[in-house]
Amino acid sequence: MIKMILFRKFRVLILMVFLVACTMHIMIDLLPKLEKRGAGADGVDGGCQCAHHPGAQSQGWGKQRARSAADAGWPNKHTLRILQDFSNEPSSNLTSHSLEKITAAADGAESRRRSGPSAGRTGDHKPLIRDTSGGRTAPVRGASRLSALFQHPFYKLDLPPLTEEDTLFNVNTDIRFYPRATGNQGWHDEEGNEEEDFSPTGEVTAESYPNWLRFHIGINRYELYSRHDPVLDALLKDLVTQRVTSVAMKSGGTQLKLIMTFQNYGQALFKPMKQTREQETPPDFFYFSDFERHNAEIAAFHLDRILDFRRVPPVAGRLVNMTREIRDVTRDKKLWRTFFISPANNVCFYGECSYYCSTEHALCGKPDQIEGSLAAFLPDLNLAKRKTWRNPWRRSYHKRKKAEWEVDPDYCDEVKQTPPYDRGTRLLDVMDMTIFDFLMGNMDRHHYETFEKFGNYTFIIHLDNGRGFGKHSHDELSILVPLSQCCRVRKSTYLRLQLLAKEEYQLSSLMEESLLRDRLSPVLIKPHLQAMDRRLRLVLRVLAGCVEKESYVNVVEEDLVGDTATHRSPGH
Amino acid sequence: EPVTEGSKLEKLFAHPLYNIQTPGLTPEERLLEAKQLMEYYKRKASRWERHMKLYSEAAAASNITVSKHKVTFDSDANWLKFHLGINRYALYSRDDPAIGKLLRDMQNMTVIGADYTQDEKALKGACDCTQVVKPSGHHLKLALKMQNYAKAMFKPMRQQRDEETPEDVFYFVDFQRHNAEVAAFHLDRILDFCRVPPVAGRLVNVTGEVLHVTYNDDLRAVFFVSPANNTCFFAKCLYVCKTEYAVCGSPHLLEGSMAAYLPSLSIAPRISIPNPWIRSYTFTRKEEWEVNPFFCDNVKQLYPYNSGNRLLNIIDMSIFDFLTSNMDRHHYEIFTKFGDEGFLLHLDNARGFGKHSKDEMSILAPLSQCCMIKRSTLLRLQLLARPEYRLSDVMRESLQRDLLQPILTEPHLLALDRRLQKVMRVVQRCVRRLGEDKVVTKDFARYTAK
């Protein structure tokens, strides 16, 4: 009998706690911007489970969220990106970031965490990473080509003035409700930080946000981050130093990737090292069976910055302890099960994915340290939807078939008449991307993404660069086909490319210097660096050929005169 | 004997130890009768002709290029002689001229047909990518038929000669190496075991000698042309599971090993028996023999290891595997006709010669735990340790006869000498412990004459 009563009481308690949790969810959900995708279903089981520790409710709940995010099979929303694998069976290949669907709900007053803000504030935007080499602090030496480059007038062109329509988030109205970070709603984080930082009226200063959130806030219509944003270095540092609190396997992708969640609730995509720096892609490999390389991800970010595109999310290299930072913090059984000790007594794992996830391709540490790239997550898809576009110059992803552009020399004329390539800057953005991919030798650009909020008048996000830098001895000219078929380029891009071909701004030395800041330096071996100089000359030759054939004004799009906004603005 | 110039290999084979006459063979002691084999061969040939007719009509109807080759029925073929020579003591006799000719046949005779091997067909296309240990049918190998109906198993090159197995790789995920197959045959012959079917290296034109002569649609479907314009093909399951990429010719020629087929199971049945010293084939678990130093005492009690030569044969096999460093000997085969006293076939040696810098002592467990060895084996090992017959030298010389030489790199050859020393040291330790009479056993089959 007593048992019965106790049991009933307990049930009532569970029910109460459940109701409280649900009410809280609903409250959050009703807040603007977040209403569309609340914590609804997920929240329910979160609430139920944390009922067992009513006292620790909020933190239990926070943890719960993290787990349900990690465990739940993600709904395959972006099945647009179907990549035929090398046995020609379709398998969905979601973009590296399209799955970060940790639901938006609040998660703990993270903004009040000292580590995050302090890392971002004050003079901390020193080159994280290697203390020895002169990174950005180097300009004192006066020999830094990189700082000279960024001093060049071509790297000082201003953006058009930003209106509210041009930023991804409105700091005043949106960010307050950003999950996990701003820490209102009275959620306490585990460490129970002091309350002063927090003010429910939204006076949480932007500087107190964790760096990943400040990065998200900074995204606008024209760029992922601004040229000299101190947040960027702080974010890169976070990627390397923040404690990993949980790890999940990214489902849906072709090759093994892990989602790492940090102590400040930031998240990043981890790609482990699969090949040594010296290894080249075997000549008989198709572009779609190539390995993804962690160093290519890192190098792509640096290259993109040197080209002043700023369309690649920040990536840093990190030595990860496989035992402490992966195996012991994952709740993913499937991942956990694949850990083993090799005959040479190293820790190995192989995970679960459709490409190269087998014992034959196990990733082994030395004895438990493994290199990898960590790419900062873009804002949650619930807060900033993205559109996925099929690249018009997509390859066939088939061993025998050819794509249309490979057989039709006038293919670009067709593309130019198809929206969204018939107006705005989209075609020019594709040209920029083509040049970027050619310099890296990345043949795997089947899709690209944009932020939905900005419509068709915005930049292209350069995600998924792991298949670049596979062969230094080969220049894959077919990547340049969009450029040679369309013969269009932005003037700003053209000028910068010419600049980077000059002796004093040589692309390879700039890249070398920039990559020195990464902890995994050297990220690229010399031959890859030199290949970029060679490829840059090839790009310039193609452009010179275009100019000769179709005259300068028809090839080079003027984007530097006065108010550049004219052809960029949405009002077009 | 004084060290003289000239062939160490010839001198080795001239040594009295290698010239013990086997007792005359009774028909019972031969595997096959000539009449029986010829009948089988005739039936096969007429069936092939019949199928060819049907296939060529079907191929013509569906527009597939198939090269036609003339097939010759040759009752004097070398592979027939090889099959007829198999007896209860060995697969072949070392001085049989047919063996040398068979090796040459496999190197240059026209290929008229290509197909998957039986164990691959038996899987019926089922691929379970979660299996950690892949069944042998998953590995890339083909059955090639030659002009005179001889059949050989082709294993393509997967690794460069100077590549070693990475240290983190378990024995059951290691590559299959074509050169290990070739080298194992030569080593087996030098040890005078004669238990490995003849293997020769060959440059195969994968387009002309495989793709264009196969009548198997599944096999044709795995061929493609790579971005570097090479003809490639792959093992379906390993490819689908993305554990292995394809093998490619350059642009058509591909190195591989050709192992002569044994007589068909329908006329010479064999049984496959698990090795008592089998490994766990898991990442963590250990087998009893790995933890129990007295494991052999148990084995000695068990049939068929409790009498006769069987245990000594296992120990021979472990010495052979230790020299090649093959950890993947999970089963061994015997011909049913010869019963428990028959010799053990050393098939499938492709996982040997993976690491020259490491000697895997656990392979020698049967010897070190049982502490017994055939006198004949020990005498030959002692001979091969002497400078004038040094194992690495005779192996080098023997391997030079192969088309694909060098088959083994120097470090692998030198590792053979080092491992031989280690075998002898294990025997010495046993002798010190138990006395020579208990350790060095007179084997009572082949060498009773001595």
Side-chain angles (χ1 to χ4, degrees), chain A residues 255-266:
Chain A
Q255 298 191 24
L256 183 74
K257 292 163 203 151
L258 303 176
I259 299 171
M260 290 194 164
T261 308
F262 298 116
Q263 148 193 39
N264 68 358
Y265 295 97

Side-chain angles (χ1 to χ4, degrees), chain B residues 188-239:
Chain B
D188 175 82
R189 201 160 65 149
I190 284 169
L191 294 172
D192 205 30
F193 288 157
C194 297
R195 296 162 203 172
V196 175
V199 185
R202 174 170 183 154
L203 274 172
V204 170
N205 181 328
V206 283
T207 315
E209 294 177 312
V210 181
L211 178 61
H212 288 167
V213 296
T214 182
Y215 295 90
N216 184 327
D217 289 331
D218 293 335
L219 180 56
R220 206 177 292 116
V222 299
F223 275 79
F224 65 91
V225 176
S226 82
N229 262 327
N230 296 324
T231 306
C232 306
F233 66 111
F234 51 82
K236 195 173 145 249
C237 275
L238 297 180
Y239 195 77

Side-chain angles (χ1 to χ4, degrees), chain A residues 85 284 342 346 359 361 366, chain B residues 167-168 226 230 242-243 245:
Chain A
D85 71 15
D284 290 321
S342 83
N346 295 322
T359 41
H361 297 276
K366 277 231 177 253
Chain B
E167 55 168 16
D168 288 323
S226 82
N230 296 324
K242 276 93 184 178
T243 52
Y245 196 70

Side-chain angles (χ1 to χ4, degrees), chain A residues 61-289:
Chain A
W61 189 77
K63 279 184 177 167
Q64 206 57 54
R65 307 273 340 163
R67 187 211 313 198
S68 66
D71 282 357
W74 303 110
N76 279 352
K77 215 166 156 195
H78 281 247
T79 34
L80 280 166
R81 298 186 67 185
I82 288 174
L83 162 65
Q84 275 167 295
D85 71 15
F86 60 17
S87 59
N88 301 326
E89 80 213 5
S91 71
S92 73
N93 174 46
L94 307 169
T95 65
S96 51
H97 298 262
S98 57
L99 282 174
E100 41 180 284
K101 209 174 286 197
I102 315 300
T103 21
D107 216 274
E110 235 342 280
S111 67
R112 279 172 290 117
R113 285 204 46 76
R114 303 263 46 148
S115 68
S118 71
R121 223 182 280 145
T122 63
D124 263 20
H125 50 277
K126 270 181 241 158
L128 26 157
I129 322 197
R130 318 182 87 217
D131 329 272
T132 45
S133 72
R136 182 160 290 185
T137 39
V140 221
R141 288 206 321 242
S144 167
R145 290 186 189 219
L146 200 59
S147 39
L149 178 80
F150 290 141
Q151 295 301 315
H152 195 277
F154 293 163
Y155 286 78
K156 296 202 154 158
L157 309 171
D158 288 326
L159 292 184
L162 297 178
T163 68
E164 203 169 291
E165 289 302 293
D166 296 331
T167 53
L168 193 59
F169 299 110
N170 183 316
V171 181
N172 294 322
T173 61
D174 296 349
I175 292 304
R176 268 200 294 154
F177 309 113
Y178 207 97
R180 324 185 134 208
T182 52
N184 29 23
Q185 322 309 331
W187 300 108
H188 299 258
D189 66 343
E190 288 115 295
E191 278 84 5
N193 271 337
E194 345 69 89
E195 292 272 313
E196 316 85 299
D197 275 3
F198 155 68
S199 132
T201 47
E203 275 153 322
V204 185
T205 48
E207 283 72 37
S208 65
Y209 296 143
N211 295 311
W212 60 268
L213 182 59
R214 296 169 70 198
F215 159 60
H216 289 180
I217 296 169
I219 300 174
N220 63 50
R221 183 183 293 280
Y222 310 107
E223 57 185 17
L224 271 182
Y225 53 88
S226 65
R227 273 191 206 102
H228 303 293
D229 194 346
V231 165
L232 197 73
D233 274 337
L235 178 60
L236 287 173
K237 184 173 183 169
D238 278 358
L239 290 173
V240 181
T241 54
Q242 280 270 318
R243 187 166 60 82
V244 179
T245 56
S246 80
V247 171
M249 249 189 314
K250 211 202 85 168
S251 58
T254 49
Q255 298 191 24
L256 183 74
K257 292 163 203 151
L258 303 176
I259 299 171
M260 290 194 164
T261 308
F262 298 116
Q263 148 193 39
N264 68 358
Y265 295 97
Q267 288 190 309
L269 194 74
F270 177 75
K271 292 192 182 178
M273 169 164 143
K274 297 207 175 114
Q275 271 187 330
T276 61
R277 308 277 194 283
E278 291 75 26
Q279 268 175 310
E280 281 201 273
T281 304
D284 290 321
F285 267 47
F286 284 92
Y287 49 93
F288 46 84
S289 41

Side-chain angles (χ1 to χ4, degrees), chain A residues 10-23 51 57:
Chain A
F10 190 57
R11 276 221 297 224
V12 170
L13 189 72
I14 291 174
L15 197 70
M16 290 278 285
V17 173
F18 172 80
L19 280 175
V20 170
C22 292
T23 322
Q57 184 190 5

